[in-house]
Amino acid sequence: IAGITQAPTSQILAAGRRMTLRCTQDMRHNAMYWYRQDLGLGLRLIHYSNTAGTTGKGEVPDGYSVSRANTDDFPLTLASAVPSQTSVYFCASSATGNTEAFFGQGTRLTVV
Amino acid sequence: DAKTTQPNSMESNEEEPVHLPCNHSTISGTDYIHWYRQLPSQGPEYVIHGLTSNVNNRMASLAIAEDRKSSTLILHRATLRDAAVYYCILRDLDYGGSQGNLIFGKGTKLSVKP
């Protein structure tokens, strides 16, 4: 089934550790996005990529990095996790900037 | 990014129509109006989008005011499964840089009563 896959589904991480959240799509979409969702704050854009080889900062990029080496994969890295990065993370993709976006099921990350 | 304003919450009865309003008075000529919804414990899902004309699909209808400063998402017969947070988002047609990004607001939490 075509779609967007995130891994892991959930993770408990010690503060200070490095963590990479994986996101893969098989729809050949150009654009990909990472969001975090916190209770009371809604969905906030962390980073985005309009096409392979390019990335951009969203609303809350600090403490996160991304790469887009190819069309299908868009990993999100926390270099040194802090408790405030405890959140649910959603990856999304769309063919262009103005077509339907597809979201993954999310990664629940707890930093302790 | 242009802003949207939605009511925090709405209630509906099952099998009745629901009209979810969205105000976007600062919309530009190149902004598409997108609607997404998020069911509990799931990622957001696309509902519908439009530019100027009203739009229909299997999930809903989108009615856009003539001046484009407001729009209404119409669920023709609400079901319990339609209980979700509905987001109205403006997305720039001139895709490039950050213009095409989906920036979510707080949305409208729709409750459906049996």
Side-chain angles (χ1 to χ4, degrees), chain B residues 12-16 77-80 112-114:
Chain B
S12 173
N13 294 316
E14 196 176 13
E15 298 191 4
E16 290 186 356
R77 289 183 68 218
T79 68
L80 297 177
V112 180
K113 296 183 289 183

Side-chain angles (χ1 to χ4, degrees), chain B residues 33 35 48-50 53-56 60-64 71-74:
Chain B
I33 302 160
W35 284 82
I48 200 166
H49 77 284
S53 303
N54 295 344
V55 184
N56 300 294
S61 296
L62 176 60
I64 302 172
S71 61
T72 302
L73 179 71
I74 302 165

